[in-house]
Amino acid sequence: MINARQLEVLSTVIEVGTTARAAELLNVSQPAVSNMIRHTEDITGLTLFERDRGRLIPTREARHIAQEAQHLFMQQKRISSIVEELRGGTMGTLNIIASPSIGLGVLPRALAEFSKARPKLRLSLELGSVDEISEKLVSGRADLGLSITVPRHPSLSVGPIAAGELVCVCPPGHDFAYMKRVSITDLNLVNHISYATNTPLGRLVDQVFAERGLERRYSCEVRHTATALELVASGMGVALVDSFALIGREPGRIVKVPTDPVLPIRMSSITSRLFPTSNLAGRFMEFFRGFIEAAG
């Protein structure tokens, strides 16, 4: 069976006409080229060159083999190019699942910027709860998860992306809009859009009320931050939302006010320990950290 190296030597000798010049181009010795040609003739049972005053004249059979070899060389170059692109994170498939406040806010903007220099990149983006994020990653159906709630699963690895906090948002002209800080317990005094007690954000806010001997009250219950933001923008009331959901949001429809006490949160990247993290996912995590830092 003739191999790729033998085809390369054959094609080079045909191109330049002498074993000496072919040896220079291939960075090997002249005897090595001559021996390769003889060995190729032996294993194929064909005469590949006629000798004429120091030059090698390729036979019709040799030219036919070399012509067919060009397809192989082109495919090798294409594969090498793909490997370089994969190594450089400029192509491939990236499957991300994120919590809604991230997936409907800052993440699409970051992906658009990340994709500009990667036109061959294929993306998949889903939204889900922390349990859905965990299930997708453990089953290998997602490469990367992004959440402000940390999953507790032994097969998942969690890393920091950015630090943030819960902030109060209200419609323009609302009493809270003129405050330097809004006391979280004062939310009981107004139309308050909030999260159920059994949700991560609901538990975080409930803890503040419990420490003060109070029970949280709200006029409208939502599951996702994106819903709360739209209700606030429509004048329904005020809400606590994570600061990441406000990155890049057009000003004017809502007013952001810091809270007292400050409720810190953290955005995390989540990957599976059961599957190796792709080079592309690693590059996006690094890019996303910088993107949020610049946007903040």
Side-chain angles (χ1 to χ4, degrees):
M1 178 68 70
I2 189 169
N3 59 39
R5 182 59 171 171
Q6 290 166 334
L7 289 173
E8 183 183 23
V9 171
L10 173 64
S11 298
T12 304
V13 173
I14 290 175
E15 181 180 352
V16 299
T18 67
T19 55
R21 179 62 180 144
E24 290 179 13
L25 294 175
L26 296 170
N27 199 28
V28 296
S29 67
Q30 182 178 355
V33 172
S34 298
N35 289 336
M36 182 74 74
I37 293 297
R38 283 194 294 270
H39 181 63
T40 304
E41 289 181 325
D42 289 341
I43 62 175
T44 59
L46 298 171
T47 299
L48 299 177
F49 291 95
E50 300 289 346
R51 279 71 178 173
D52 181 18
R53 290 174 290 184
R55 290 187 60 83
L56 296 178
I57 310 300
T59 62
R60 179 177 297 178
E61 292 80 5
R63 291 188 181 279
H64 185 72
I65 293 172
Q67 184 177 5
E68 292 297 321
Q70 295 306 312
H71 301 294
L72 173 63
F73 298 149
M74 290 176 63
Q75 187 67 11
Q76 284 180 322
K77 288 181 179 179
R78 182 174 179 273
I79 292 172
S80 296
S81 176
I82 290 174
V83 169
E84 288 301 316
E85 289 175 327
L86 289 171
R87 184 184 296 122
T90 59
M91 72 172 296
T93 301
L94 180 58
N95 299 300
I96 300 177
I97 181 167
S99 56
S101 65
I102 300 170
L104 293 173
V106 64
L107 183 56
R109 297 176 179 87
L111 286 172
E113 190 67 26
F114 185 73
S115 300
K116 283 181 180 178
R118 299 167 174 84
K120 297 180 182 179
L121 179 63
R122 184 177 180 182
L123 290 167
S124 170
L125 174 58
E126 290 188 56
L127 306 182
S129 66
V130 67
D131 291 335
E132 291 168 332
I133 291 173
S134 299
E135 193 276 329
K136 286 276 189 179
L137 290 168
V138 170
S139 64
R141 288 180 289 164
D143 304 308
L144 173 65
L146 296 165
S147 176
I148 59 172
T149 304
V150 177
R152 302 187 182 280
H153 196 294
S155 297
L156 296 178
S157 179
V158 178
I161 291 289
E165 62 183 88
L166 288 186
V167 296
C168 179
V169 291
C170 61
H174 193 279
D175 290 346
F176 284 3
Y178 304 103
M179 295 182 177
K180 290 185 177 180
R181 285 192 176 273
V182 170
S183 173
I184 287 179
T185 54
D186 283 348
L187 294 171
N188 275 359
L189 306 177
V190 298
N191 288 333
H192 177 200
I193 302 159
S194 197
Y195 314 97
T197 301
N198 61 352
T199 62
L201 290 182
R203 287 191 290 268
L204 179 61
V205 180
D206 276 339
Q207 183 178 348
V208 177
F209 280 86
E211 290 171 352
R212 289 154 179 76
L214 298 172
E215 183 178 348
R216 175 170 58 107
R217 297 194 299 271
Y218 47 90
S219 57
C220 181
E221 180 180 302
V222 296
R223 181 171 180 83
H224 301 305
T225 297
T227 309
L229 283 170
E230 288 306 313
L231 289 172
V232 171
S234 299
M236 282 279 292
V238 304
L240 294 176
V241 301
D242 66 87
S243 53
F244 303 117
L246 301 177
I247 295 177
R249 190 177 179 88
E250 293 183 10
R253 297 182 67 200
I254 60 173
V255 176
K256 176 182 72 173
V257 188
T259 64
D260 180 26
V262 175
L263 295 181
I265 56 173
R266 181 175 292 277
M267 186 194 299
S268 299
S269 63
I270 310 164
T271 54
S272 175
R273 300 181 191 271
L274 303 176
F275 305 94
T277 302
S278 69
N279 176 51
L280 192 56
R283 285 181 177 270
F284 179 72
M285 283 189 282
E286 182 180 351
F287 172 87
F288 195 39
R289 289 188 190 96
F291 184 89
I292 292 182
E293 183 178 354

